[in-house]
Amino acid sequence: MSEAQMMTMKDIARELGISVSTVSRALSDSPRISAERRRMIQQFAREHNFYPNAIGEALRRSRTMPSKVIGVIVPEFTHYYFSSILTGIEEAAMSRGYYIMVALSNEQYEREARICEMFHRQKVCGVIVSQAKDTKNYDHFQKLIDTGIPIVFYDRICTGVNASLVVVDDYMGAFNAVSYLFDTGCRRIAFFGSPMQLEISKNRFNGYKDALLKHGLPFEERFVRICDNRQDAEIMAPDLFDGDYYPDAFFAVNDDTAIGILYTVKRMGLRVPEDISICGFTNGQRAVACDPMLTTVEQRGRRVGEEAVEILVDKVEGRSPLDKVEKRVVRTRLIIRGTTR
């Protein structure tokens, strides 16, 4: 088998007639597999030049530390949230003796797939990734997992592969924000969100809808827009005021969208928060740079990055099985400022 067609754990499992999880446990010396079976599987892997994770193997067998590099894929750098996650990743990685190699997918599936191939060639010890908005094929992620490179997803998780993940509590963040808008007198609450193929979009949308239901408010399709950036918000927001029946509040999927709504309704002569309340989701630096300052849901991006590194390094260093899927949820909190009553 050539380097371009290197053996994967799936290949070993097929050849030996066992499950992939059994192969993974045997290669990580899990006591859940008998010693005899572990030796048999490990010998087969060595004979076929397969090492599930070259750096992890070296860490377990040698006191001399090789270069330890974690690949990180960021969808975009414009959002404060992603930069705060990256800060958490770098600080946590450095404290454990690792370095990071950062690549920008620019929200493009093809670019994301090429980055994964590059990380594979560079023999990174693991990958931390938030998937691009238009990613619908997950073969590039599965290939990394099949060759023994652990993946941890953050923020935008991938439901198409079995991998560990770190997310914020998007549902409760949205539910609590919309409930607060209701408690302050709002009754016609609009929702501006991301494309619904993303799990974070579904969770925030469901939190929004369930909060309406809990408080006896009708769900109105005309108050819902797929809009997750400031430019589009400034175009779409005026359409909701075409007529006598319009929103008295907006819940937006991120701060940039909320700020676009804020400046649009102010230009229209409406007062914030007296006429319109607005709530975002992120709590980035821009939330305190607008007038009035933005009420928003804080995501705690640095903590997300730290948790992702902790999961990944435990897998690399053999403290956690490669096939163990871990899900960690970072709690959000509502930061109340001047755009709500």
Side-chain angles (χ1 to χ4, degrees):
M1 187 172 288
S2 68
E3 183 177 354
Q5 299 173 307
M6 64 174 61
M7 178 166 281
T8 69
M9 283 194 287
K10 278 188 176 179
D11 296 325
I12 295 174
R14 185 178 61 253
E15 291 289 334
L16 297 178
I18 56 180
S19 68
V20 174
S21 62
T22 298
V23 175
S24 175
R25 291 189 183 107
L27 294 176
S28 60
D29 278 330
S30 170
R32 297 173 64 183
I33 307 296
S34 69
E36 182 179 350
R37 201 171 201 194
R38 288 203 305 270
R39 282 194 297 270
M40 180 268 291
I41 295 170
Q42 290 169 3
Q43 181 178 348
F44 183 90
R46 283 194 299 271
E47 289 172 352
H48 291 80
N49 296 315
F50 175 83
Y51 295 94
N53 186 310
I55 292 177
E57 183 75 10
L59 283 169
R60 286 189 290 271
R61 296 180 179 276
S62 174
R63 298 178 69 89
T64 302
M65 294 293 187
S67 173
K68 298 182 292 182
V69 180
I70 297 170
V72 181
I73 303 179
V74 181
E76 56 181 319
F77 286 128
T78 55
H79 282 303
Y80 169 83
Y81 182 53
F82 289 126
S83 65
S84 66
I85 290 174
L86 191 58
T87 298
I89 290 172
E90 183 171 35
E91 290 181 354
M94 290 287 284
S95 71
R96 303 283 290 266
Y98 288 76
Y99 299 91
I100 63 172
M101 180 187 298
V102 182
L104 176 69
S105 70
N106 206 26
E107 302 287 16
Q108 299 170 12
Y109 159 74
E110 294 83 2
R111 186 163 172 166
E112 182 181 81
R114 289 197 302 271
I115 292 168
C116 286
E117 182 62 32
M118 182 267 290
F119 281 166
H120 184 265
R121 291 196 307 270
Q122 295 292 327
K123 301 187 185 304
V124 299
C125 64
V127 174
I128 298 174
V129 55
S130 179
Q131 74 173 56
K133 284 181 184 177
D134 65 350
T135 294
K136 298 181 178 67
N137 183 306
Y138 312 116
D139 290 349
H140 52 302
F141 296 138
Q142 191 62 54
K143 179 181 178 182
L144 292 175
I145 294 170
D146 289 346
T147 53
I149 299 174
I151 293 180
V152 178
F153 287 95
Y154 68 91
D155 190 51
R156 299 180 195 159
I157 64 173
C158 177
T159 57
V161 297
N162 206 28
S164 295
L165 54 97
V166 181
V167 294
V168 300
D169 196 348
D170 293 296
Y171 173 88
M172 285 308 302
F175 183 92
N176 291 336
V178 175
S179 293
Y180 175 76
L181 291 172
F182 174 85
D183 291 341
T184 54
C186 302
R187 296 296 182 267
R188 302 180 304 279
I189 304 170
F191 176 83
F192 276 36
S194 299
M196 287 299 168
Q197 71 262 24
L198 299 173
E199 285 300 304
I200 62 168
S201 304
K202 295 175 188 176
N203 292 335
R204 293 177 194 178
F205 182 58
N206 288 335
Y208 160 78
K209 286 202 303 182
D210 286 353
L212 296 181
L213 179 65
K214 177 187 176 181
H215 298 294
L217 300 180
F219 170 71
E220 303 184 71
E221 289 279 0
R222 58 180 159 174
F223 286 167
V224 175
R225 295 289 186 276
I226 300 301
C227 173
D228 61 1
N229 61 77
R230 177 172 178 168
Q231 181 178 0
D232 289 344
E234 292 182 358
I235 295 170
M236 294 184 184
D239 293 342
L240 274 67
F241 295 90
D242 187 14
D244 297 329
Y245 187 76
Y246 53 83
D248 59 5
F250 287 82
F251 172 63
V253 72
N254 58 46
D255 287 356
D256 281 353
T257 303
I259 291 169
I261 296 167
L262 168 63
Y263 283 104
T264 298
V265 298
K266 285 174 66 178
R267 283 198 304 270
M268 294 171 63
L270 295 165
R271 298 170 300 163
V272 178
E274 293 84 357
D275 301 321
I276 305 290
S277 289
I278 301 170
C279 180
F281 206 115
T282 300
N283 195 33
Q285 295 171 342
R286 295 175 188 174
V288 294
C290 56
D291 181 26
M293 291 190 288
L294 184 67
T295 292
T296 185
V297 178
E298 184 178 50
Q299 290 181 276
R300 299 175 62 204
R302 185 177 298 221
R303 185 62 188 158
V304 170
E306 292 168 351
E307 295 276 0
V309 170
E310 184 175 319
I311 294 173
L312 189 72
V313 171
D314 280 351
K315 291 183 180 298
V316 169
E317 297 182 354
R319 283 184 293 275
S320 176
L322 289 174
D323 64 333
K324 180 183 178 182
V325 174
E326 252 192 274
K327 178 178 180 179
R328 297 192 188 178
V329 179
V330 176
R331 293 186 181 276
T332 59
R333 63 172 180 159
L334 183 64
I335 308 297
I336 299 168
R337 299 194 181 100
T339 57
T340 51
R341 301 167 192 168

